[in-house]
Amino acid sequence: MVLTSQNQEGDQVVIVVPVTHAAPSDPTLAVEIPAETKRRLGLDDARSWIVVTDANRFVWPGPDLRPRIRGDSSSVAYGALPRALFHRLRDAFADALEARLAGVVKRTE
């Protein structure tokens, strides 16, 4: 999750960026998640990257989220990123937006 806000109806609206196992063709457009962070969050051991070019905006919790516990929508939040990693992600996303390499897609709610 990169940003949270509240809409006029009082719903929490989030902007999230995807996580993938596919190595980026351009390393400036993704941030690798360190193995230690992946273990702490309960993710698998394969290398993963946070893609900063394809953000989604939706009311939380929303479509396309994968709960850790089947049927429990509250389990889609795996935990917080370390501050330094979050800052790298935020800065890479801001740079991609500024360079017009990233966009935010409003998802169905």
Side-chain angles (χ1 to χ4, degrees):
M1 188 176 311
V2 176
L3 177 72
T4 66
S5 62
Q6 200 170 48
N7 65 15
Q8 292 177 340
E9 292 79 28
D11 298 317
Q12 183 179 17
V13 178
V14 298
I15 294 178
V16 300
V17 286
V19 174
T20 183
H21 287 115
S25 57
D26 181 342
T28 66
L29 300 178
V31 175
E32 186 168 8
I33 304 172
E36 180 179 317
T37 299
K38 289 193 68 174
R39 276 191 297 279
R40 183 178 55 76
L41 295 175
L43 301 174
D44 62 34
D45 292 334
R47 291 177 73 185
S48 294
W49 289 265
I50 303 167
V51 179
V52 299
T53 55
D54 301 314
N56 294 295
R57 181 182 183 276
F58 55 86
V59 172
W60 182 265
D64 304 325
L65 297 176
R66 295 185 185 167
R68 288 182 288 162
I69 302 167
R70 181 172 286 165
D72 179 2
S73 64
S74 68
S75 71
V76 296
Y78 287 65
L81 295 177
R83 183 174 300 216
L85 180 60
F86 177 77
H87 288 170
R88 281 183 42 222
L89 165 62
R90 179 200 60 201
D91 294 347
F93 182 59
D95 290 347
L97 283 171
E98 187 174 317
R100 299 192 187 279
L101 296 172
V104 178
V105 175
K106 184 177 180 185
R107 304 292 295 183
T108 54
E109 294 156 12

